[in-house]
């Protein structure tokens, strides 16, 4: 086992261990992938101010996200097909998040179901991400199931009314479980650890959907149903309806524009996430870290502002926090750890990010994450 010190180390290991179609699904963006790359690279231009002769004892990264205590301002983002990166992947992620003391967000398009994750974590609260489907009865049942599973927040994704094109998914013939083409069989033969894990679990389909929707009993009927179900007519009236139906903490994901941020405030949501869906929808959109400051300036006093996209280190978390994000989300950084080593890999990813966050905060002259603001950043670099 190599010595793992960075998220990049986990990515390299995940690439070796996860079948190509699922690794590429996680590690890709739409069209030219320019926004996907910018999400990560735009963090690098932001520079930190080093401070010295400051008492660095008794440091704390603990804070709150939507009123919930968190060990650091990081949540695990909702990611589809997580259980195809590693057998029972969502369960592994939720358990690691529970141990670390941060929120785990389960995707509508997860392999493990809401009930699977709730049972596996002894009903520990987690967040549930909702896609708006045309089948409103199904949406209502998902919301009711999330309530019954003790979910403490609903994350409503607004930027996937229609699906952006990711070339790698088309070329790989992405499906869950994988199509047994010659190319895919040859690739699977090089991933024995992954194959053994999948043989040992019954969870190989979309657990929140199969068996819960009339007429969807297998992957064939599921693909047909899903293609027709994402609702291009989604509007702010639907957000109001979902907020009322849910009745709990509501987070709106996919806000990139100040006008939309103001509409998010008007909707009565508890938080918004500055996000471009990891560069997987509108290629050419601004990176999340670039979009963040103007949204914080416009609505930060009226709604809690979070961000995701491109976070690969604790330094990235600190920079986002300095620019006004109350919380951040890790998607790919989490998936790299999961694909590399399952629950142990997720815990390793969280440990890496936390250590980088803790040490960088101290080097910038702070011992409490709640005192960090843009004064830790070098003027002219953000």
């Amino acid at each position: 086992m190599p010595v793992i010190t960075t998220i990049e180390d986990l990515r390299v290991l995940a690439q070796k261990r996860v079948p190509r179609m699922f690794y590429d699904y996680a590690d890709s963006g739409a069209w030219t992938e320019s926004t996907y790359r910018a999400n990560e690279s735009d963090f690098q231009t932001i520079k930190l101010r080093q401070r010295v002769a400051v008492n660095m004892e008794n440091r704390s990264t603990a804070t709150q996200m939507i009123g919930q205590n968190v060990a650091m301002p990081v949540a695990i983002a909702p990611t589809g097909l997580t259980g195809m990166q590693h057998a029972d992947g969502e369960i592994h992620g939720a358990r690691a998040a529970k141990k670390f003391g941060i929120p785990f967000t389960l995707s509508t398009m997860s392999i493990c179901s809401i009930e699977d994750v709730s049972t596996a974590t002894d009903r520990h609260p987690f967040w549930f991400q909702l896609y708006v489907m045309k089948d409103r009865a199904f949406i209502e049942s998902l919301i009711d199931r999330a309530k019954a599973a003790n979910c403490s927040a609903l994350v409503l994704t607004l930027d996937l009314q229609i699906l952006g094109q990711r070339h790698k998914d088309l070329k790989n013939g992405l499906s869950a479980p994988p199509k047994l083409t010659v190319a895919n069989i040859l690739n699977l033969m090089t991933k024995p650890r992954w194959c053994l894990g999948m043989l040992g679990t019954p969870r190989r389909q979309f657990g929140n959907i199969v068996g819960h929707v009339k007429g969807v009993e297998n992957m064939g009927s599921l693909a047909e149903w899903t293609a027709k179900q994402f609702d291009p007519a989604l509007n702010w009236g639907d957000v109001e309806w979902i907020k009322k139906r849910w009745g709990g903490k509501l987070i709106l994901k996919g806000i990139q524009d100040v006008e939309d941020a103001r509409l998010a405030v008007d909707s009565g949501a508890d938080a918004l996430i500055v996000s471009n869906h990891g560069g997987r929808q509108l290629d050419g959109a601004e990176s999340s870290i670039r979009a963040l400051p103007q949204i914080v300036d416009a609505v930060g006093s009226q709604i809690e502002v979070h961000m995701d996209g491109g976070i690969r280190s604790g330094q990235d978390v600190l920079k986002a926090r300095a620019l006004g994000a109350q919380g951040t989300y890790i998607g790919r950084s989490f998936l790299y750890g999961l694909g590399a080593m399952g629950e142990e890999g997720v815990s390793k990813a969280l440990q890496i990010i936390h250590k980088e966050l803790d040490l960088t905060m101290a080097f910038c002259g702070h011992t409490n994450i709640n005192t960090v603001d843009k004064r830790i950043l070098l003027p002219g670099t953000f």
Side-chain angles (χ1 to χ4, degrees):
M1 176 68 67
V3 176
I4 293 172
T5 59
T6 64
I7 297 299
E8 174 62 12
D9 291 339
L10 291 170
R11 186 198 67 76
V12 170
L13 192 54
Q15 189 172 23
K16 291 177 181 175
R17 293 181 170 178
V18 178
R20 180 178 52 240
M21 71 162 58
F22 299 119
Y23 174 82
D24 282 354
Y25 171 78
D27 200 31
S28 64
W31 287 325
T32 70
E33 300 190 333
S34 66
T35 299
Y36 164 49
R37 292 191 301 273
N39 273 348
E40 190 174 349
S41 63
D42 282 354
F43 272 105
Q44 308 313 311
T45 62
I46 303 170
K47 302 302 178 185
L48 300 159
R49 293 175 61 204
Q50 177 179 306
R51 305 300 302 278
V52 297
V54 175
N55 185 342
M56 295 181 180
E57 296 175 309
N58 302 315
R59 298 189 302 278
S60 173
T61 60
T63 186
Q64 289 191 330
M65 292 174 69
I66 57 164
Q68 297 180 20
N69 293 329
V70 293
M72 60 179 173
V74 175
I76 290 180
T79 54
L81 287 172
T82 301
M84 287 288 137
Q85 301 292 325
H86 187 286
D88 300 332
E90 292 88 359
I91 288 172
H92 288 290
R95 283 175 172 164
K98 177 184 176 181
K99 288 176 185 173
F100 207 90
I102 65 165
F104 172 82
T105 316
L106 183 72
S107 170
T108 291
M109 305 307 290
S110 59
I111 302 300
C112 300
S113 70
I114 299 169
E115 293 79 12
D116 288 335
V117 172
S118 179
T119 300
T121 55
D122 298 321
R123 291 184 52 78
H124 182 75
F126 61 96
W127 298 354
F128 180 67
Q129 174 271 335
L130 183 69
Y131 283 125
V132 178
M133 309 287 191
K134 294 177 182 176
D135 185 342
R136 291 301 195 256
F138 177 62
I139 293 297
E140 290 187 344
S141 74
L142 277 176
I143 291 172
D144 291 343
R145 288 166 61 196
K147 286 181 185 178
N150 200 30
C151 290
S152 54
L154 190 70
V155 178
L156 178 59
T157 294
L158 299 177
D159 62 352
L160 205 136
Q161 294 165 265
I162 55 176
L163 198 62
Q165 181 166 311
R166 301 137 202 179
H167 300 325
K168 291 175 184 174
D169 292 349
L170 295 175
K171 290 175 179 177
N172 288 331
L174 179 74
S175 65
K179 292 188 181 80
L180 295 181
T181 63
V182 172
N184 288 337
I185 290 171
L186 290 173
N187 185 247
L188 287 171
M189 287 171 65
T190 67
K191 317 293 180 184
R193 179 192 296 251
W194 184 92
C195 292
L196 285 171
M198 284 297 165
L199 287 172
T201 180
R203 303 181 183 98
R204 303 187 197 100
Q205 304 189 88
F206 291 104
N208 289 325
I209 299 172
V210 174
H212 295 279
V213 176
K214 188 176 180 181
V216 177
E217 284 84 30
N218 55 53
M219 288 307 297
S221 55
L222 172 66
E224 184 181 352
W225 180 84
T226 304
K228 297 176 180 176
Q229 278 299 318
F230 284 104
D231 192 354
L234 169 66
N235 59 66
W236 289 100
D238 296 317
V239 175
E240 183 179 345
W241 169 71
I242 288 168
K243 176 178 166 56
K244 189 173 181 180
R245 188 73 172 75
W246 167 245
K249 295 282 187 178
L250 179 66
I251 302 170
L252 301 182
K253 182 174 183 285
I255 305 297
Q256 281 280 110
D257 188 272
V258 168
E259 286 186 43
D260 287 336
R262 292 195 175 107
L263 290 168
V265 171
D266 293 342
S267 77
D270 298 279
L272 64 82
I273 307 174
V274 178
S275 172
N276 50 44
H277 216 95
R280 294 164 65 77
Q281 286 293 93
L282 175 61
D283 187 41
E286 191 173 33
S287 70
S288 295
I289 194 64
R290 291 271 188 237
L292 174 65
Q294 58 192 353
I295 289 175
V296 170
D297 289 346
V299 301
S301 63
Q302 302 165 273
I303 191 172
E304 196 166 302
V305 177
H306 302 170
M307 73 80 63
D308 85 346
I311 291 175
R312 301 292 186 271
S313 71
Q315 290 202 335
D316 294 342
V317 173
L318 190 71
K319 290 172 182 178
R321 182 77 183 200
L323 290 174
Q326 178 68 18
T328 63
Y329 295 72
I330 54 169
R332 292 184 178 96
S333 293
F334 149 64
L335 292 177
Y336 298 150
L338 178 67
M341 297 188 296
E343 184 179 333
E344 181 187 357
V346 179
S347 294
K348 186 68 175 176
L350 296 178
Q351 290 160 10
I352 288 168
I353 287 172
H354 181 261
K355 185 172 185 179
E356 291 168 341
L357 172 63
D358 175 55
L359 292 179
T360 306
M361 179 178 71
F363 289 141
C364 291
H366 287 258
T367 57
N368 191 309
I369 194 69
N370 296 304
T371 67
V372 168
D373 58 26
K374 64 179 64 174
R375 286 174 293 183
I376 71 164
L377 305 177
L378 194 67
T381 68
F382 61 94

